[in-house]
Amino acid sequence: MKRICALLLAAALLTGSAAAAGEPEAAQPALDLSAASAVLMEKETGTLLYEKDARQKLEPASVTKVMTLLLIFEALDSGRISKEDVVTVSACAAGMGGSQVYLKEGEQMTVDELVKCITVVSGNDAAVAMAEYLAGSETAFVAQMNQRARELGMEDTTFLNCTGLPASGHVTSAHDIALMSRELVLNHPGVREYTTIWMDSIREGAFGLTNTNRLVRFYPGATGLKTGSTGSALYCMSATAERDGMELIAVVMKAPTSAQRFEDAKALLDYGFAAYALVTVYPESPLAPIPVLLGTQGQVQPQLERECRLLVRKGQEGQITTRLTLAQDLAAPVEQGQRVGEMEVSVDGQVRDTVPILSAQSVERLTAPRIFTRLLERLLMAGPAR
């Protein structure tokens, strides 16, 4: 009997990641993928919806540039740099091989143009130019890349350059690529301005750019993100797409051909959009004001601390229920943001989220003279007894 229990426990621990994230248990679909490793993640919750050898350490090729872009957009969004900044190309950056936009030593381009070159055509020279601009050298920038990877929990990752050009020991995993892709698209939505470009140009139209990510044109809802390929890494990509308010991240590593890479990414995204939905949950009844005793105001309005967005399987939307617990009254003083209750959210009877309910405003306590004045006013308004 003990052995049976142990086997059952082991099976539970090995259940797919969706269950670990609070999702009802479900077997993974039998997707016919050519890639050696793959992951499907929902952006907002970070839930893993599908995994195939997700922690296998492999060469990422130019998908490396997701981290390069993350550091660039963190600098942009923090105000450290601007899109209008002019970058002067070094001899080192101009000498990069592989995919490039043929930058010349001493050539000047704006950050905006260089980011476009990185996202659209995976320019190695543009990536190094930006790395040097941000950190002084590619070596210093790579140290920042690895530090950021550790902060994101990317345990399978070691970066040796900012481009993804072949280097012994430059590895990551589909799982880690999903983590850094999520950080980029979740917290820096401005990247979509670049990753959704299909065709554009630089140098005042003299040099054309066509996106290496075919899904941007041919997959409904595609929003990016980055492709990569080398002779040893084979064909990789991190693909993002959004439908009905839900954005998915599909990571494919070491697919045999470019075409199979895109087919694998489409299969993952198709599965996610067909099987899951992201639902905004509201209280089943309005949040009524709560009386305040001995306060300068007679009541406060409760409000949810945050929006509740729940990832559920298609067909479960009607199984979502909420249960409110609210204070019957409050004694002044009441602080704005004070917790006054909670909303418990369940799917098919299983609690999936608990959202605190807070006071929308503060209420000060009445002073003793004001309490006396109020009582006197009420007595006078009541008039003489008859």
Side-chain angles (χ1 to χ4, degrees), residues 44 51 75 96 98-99 104 127 139 151 165 178 186 198-199 216 241 244 254 265 303 314 327 335 348 377:
E44 193 166 316
E51 297 180 76
M96 286 294 109
S99 54
K104 303 297 183 184
T139 300
E151 292 169 357
L165 286 168
L186 178 66
W198 173 239
M199 296 184 74
V216 167
D244 298 323
K254 208 166 187 178
Q303 64 182 16
K314 289 285 182 72
E335 295 181 3
D348 195 21
E377 289 172 348

Side-chain angles (χ1 to χ4, degrees), residues 294-296 364-374:
L294 301 179
T296 53
E364 295 181 2
R365 185 178 177 84
L366 288 172
T367 60
R370 183 69 181 114
I371 292 172
F372 176 77
T373 301
R374 182 173 288 185

Side-chain angles (χ1 to χ4, degrees), residues 193-210:
E193 174 188 340
Y194 299 91
T195 58
T196 53
I197 294 171
W198 173 239
M199 296 184 74
D200 209 320
S201 62
I202 54 172
R203 301 185 179 111
E204 298 182 344
F207 190 91
L209 307 174
T210 302

Side-chain angles (χ1 to χ4, degrees), residues 275-294:
Y276 289 89
L278 196 60
V279 180
T280 303
V281 181
Y282 301 98
E284 294 173 8
S285 56
L287 298 178
I290 301 173
V292 178
L293 306 177
L294 301 179

Side-chain angles (χ1 to χ4, degrees), residues 31-52:
L31 299 181
D32 185 20
L33 303 181
S34 66
S37 178
V39 154
L40 180 67
M41 176 183 282
E42 192 279 314
K43 178 193 76 174
E44 193 166 316
T45 64
T47 304
L48 291 174
L49 307 180
Y50 179 89
E51 297 180 76
K52 177 184 177 182

